[in-house]
Amino acid sequence: MFIVETKPAPETEKLLKKVERFVGSVPPHFELFATLNPKRFEMFLNEILYLSMHKTINPDFFAFIRFYIASKENFSYCYTFNTALLLKKEYTQEQINKFEKNRENLPLDKKYLALFKMALKALENPDSFTLKDINAVKILGWSDADVYDAIDHGAFLYKFSKILKAYKK
């Protein structure tokens, strides 16, 4: 599975047990992160926790960002994990499939679709990303912090998917 043996440090075992209770299992890549650097794994989980309790953005939005990027970039671990997470959140496989084929089918309201498209533009084509793009979503009620969190989380996925690809057998 990975080029190194996953053996999480004792201090991360408690965190992994919490993940297991919340998600139902421990994703293999979480074990890898916990093995490689327990402190950074804790930071990784804190990021996920922050997003899962976001005050202004529905946490499902972040799962859809991860799913979509994972699908387009063939990040298999993230794809599988986020598909299962979305199904657990009671989205249907049909909704997920439609969204995967066309991002216009994001099963959240149009305000979220605008934020989603803006974040993808920033990540996929940062040279053409402008203040006009930010203002277009701010008119819908998103704040600068919301814009940042949407873009940042997409970049977060790219970062960790690259690490996973590097350690994959």
Side-chain angles (χ1 to χ4, degrees):
M1 182 172 293
F2 298 113
I3 60 174
V4 296
E5 180 184 353
T6 56
K7 248 187 138 166
E11 64 265 28
T12 57
E13 287 295 332
K14 290 178 187 172
L15 294 173
L16 290 170
K17 294 261 187 242
K18 287 180 183 178
V19 168
E20 185 173 23
R21 281 194 302 275
F22 180 73
V23 180
S25 65
V26 176
H29 56 294
F30 281 32
E31 288 183 347
L32 175 68
F33 298 152
T35 298
L36 296 174
N37 188 324
K39 181 64 179 162
R40 295 293 298 264
F41 176 63
E42 186 177 346
M43 293 167 61
F44 169 85
L45 286 182
N46 284 335
E47 171 73 8
I48 299 296
L49 183 62
Y50 167 75
L51 297 174
S52 72
M53 299 187 316
H54 204 283
K55 302 228 184 289
T56 56
I57 300 176
N58 178 339
D60 297 357
F61 172 81
F62 298 110
F64 279 108
I65 281 184
R66 291 190 306 269
F67 172 82
Y68 190 82
I69 292 172
S71 171
K72 297 301 175 205
E73 299 293 327
N74 196 28
F75 300 149
S76 59
Y77 285 107
C78 301
Y79 179 90
T80 302
F81 177 76
N82 287 292
T83 299
L85 182 64
L86 290 168
L87 289 169
K88 186 174 182 174
K89 290 176 169 271
E90 299 187 4
Y91 291 95
T92 66
Q93 188 64 57
E94 180 182 357
Q95 287 175 304
I96 294 167
N97 291 345
K98 281 178 67 176
F99 173 65
E100 183 176 11
K101 288 179 183 149
N102 183 346
R103 67 184 182 187
E104 297 289 328
N105 294 319
L106 176 69
L108 299 170
D109 68 33
K110 292 189 185 307
K111 180 179 169 180
Y112 281 98
L113 180 60
L115 185 64
F116 180 82
K117 289 169 144 181
M118 182 274 321
L120 284 181
K121 181 177 182 181
L123 293 165
E124 295 172 345
N125 198 356
D127 291 338
S128 71
F129 186 73
T130 67
L131 182 59
K132 183 178 175 183
D133 297 303
I134 294 170
N135 288 336
V137 296
K138 286 177 74 175
I139 288 170
L140 299 173
W142 298 116
S143 70
D144 284 317
D146 296 330
V147 168
Y148 176 85
D149 284 348
I151 296 168
D152 179 66
H153 193 60
F156 175 87
L157 177 69
Y158 279 108
K159 171 188 172 181
F160 284 102
S161 63
K162 296 295 184 182
I163 293 168
L164 285 172
K165 281 188 173 188
Y167 277 90
K168 193 174 177 182
K169 276 187 184 179

